[in-house]
Amino acid sequence: MGIFKYDVYRNPNVGIYAKCNDKFVFIPNGFASTKAKNLAEFLKTDYVFTSVANTRLLGPMMVVNNRGLLLPHNCHEEEISHLKKSTGLNVDILDTKHTALGNLICANDKGAVMSPLIPTEYVKKVEDVLRVEVIRKRVAGYHQTGAMTVANSKGGVIHPSTEEEDIKTISHVLGVELEPATINGGSPYLCSGMLVNNNATVVGGLTNGPELVMLTKAFRVED
């Protein structure tokens, strides 16, 4: 598993525009196919061009693991159909008023952590689609749980101001050891600057040496 530095639209916030699991990297419609191929090669996946709610901001809008894919209520029917046909994943809508689901839910194949902004009544739907246990919890006092935490099945990173007890709780539900970290030269909004699966990690071009060392440790890159 390697770590690669790569910008999207000349922007280090690679996780704003793309999303991935172990089989697919989801790329905005109209993105250069040569660059889509680069991302797919880094992550050892196929690539799927799509929009979500007619936007190219795929990262904040989607929640995905290797079993399922959650989309917001304002997603178009043709987008849902396209993603079902292209991936074979369990694709469904989370019909909450919140649309930036990727900012509010962190998931891997072992568990998921959901923002308390999303009511308890939606927990079962998330569990059914992603087929994991779900807890509702803030991270470092923020409701944007998905923006502050990134995990695959080997490890993960979390906002550096997160309380130790919360790190333990979230690590337990995700089934991995989380490490406090930043991305792109000090940003605690980890999801915005990263694409992570069990094959590789892609980070924004502003990510510095100490951050790369921490990511290597967190995602067990040397293993």
Side-chain angles (χ1 to χ4, degrees):
M1 177 177 174
I3 298 180
F4 304 91
K5 293 172 74 171
Y6 202 71
D7 288 351
V8 174
Y9 298 119
R10 300 181 182 178
N11 190 309
N13 294 309
V14 292
I16 294 290
Y17 298 104
K19 200 83 169 184
C20 69
N21 65 8
D22 288 349
K23 292 185 178 180
F24 306 101
V25 57
F26 301 96
I27 304 284
N29 288 331
F31 190 67
S33 59
T34 52
K35 293 185 176 181
K37 289 176 182 176
N38 288 339
L39 282 173
E41 286 176 7
F42 293 150
L43 295 162
K44 298 179 182 177
T45 63
D46 294 327
Y47 59 90
V48 176
F49 287 113
T50 190
S51 59
V52 175
N54 207 30
T55 78
R56 62 183 186 179
L57 306 178
L58 306 186
M61 306 288 277
M62 303 169 69
V63 180
V64 63
N65 66 5
N66 287 318
R67 302 185 186 104
L69 173 58
L70 284 165
L71 297 166
H73 69 85
N74 58 340
C75 196
H76 298 290
E77 194 60 47
E78 57 268 26
E79 294 169 336
I80 300 167
S81 176
H82 167 62
L83 287 167
K84 284 181 177 179
K85 290 178 182 177
S86 300
T87 67
L89 291 169
N90 186 22
V91 180
D92 212 335
I93 297 295
L94 193 66
D95 198 15
T96 168
K97 67 178 181 179
H98 301 288
T99 56
L101 300 181
N103 283 345
L104 299 176
I105 303 171
C106 170
N108 64 5
D109 290 336
K110 300 179 180 182
V113 185
M114 185 168 79
S115 171
L117 285 178
I118 300 177
T120 307
E121 64 196 79
Y122 293 100
V123 167
K124 188 175 187 307
K125 181 63 170 282
V126 176
E127 289 181 334
D128 288 348
V129 173
L130 302 180
R131 297 174 196 160
V132 294
E133 177 192 356
V134 175
I135 65 167
R136 295 167 70 243
K137 196 163 187 60
R138 292 191 296 176
V139 171
Y142 295 95
H143 282 288
Q144 290 78 19
T145 301
M148 309 293 183
T149 316
V150 180
N152 61 10
S153 295
K154 301 175 183 178
V157 288
I158 196 165
H159 190 291
S161 297
T162 310
E163 297 281 346
E164 189 63 37
E165 199 58 39
D166 288 343
I167 293 177
K168 289 180 181 178
T169 300
I170 296 169
S171 293
H172 178 74
V173 76
L174 294 175
V176 295
E177 291 184 28
L178 297 175
E179 301 280 352
T182 58
I183 199 78
N184 280 328
S187 172
Y189 302 100
L190 295 158
C191 196
S192 68
M194 306 174 64
L195 292 172
V196 177
N197 63 14
N198 290 312
N199 305 319
T201 299
V202 177
V203 300
L206 293 180
T207 303
N208 60 38
E211 289 172 332
L212 290 172
V213 170
M214 180 53 72
L215 294 171
T216 299
K217 177 185 176 185
F219 291 106
R220 282 64 181 167
V221 172
E222 69 279 2
D223 291 352

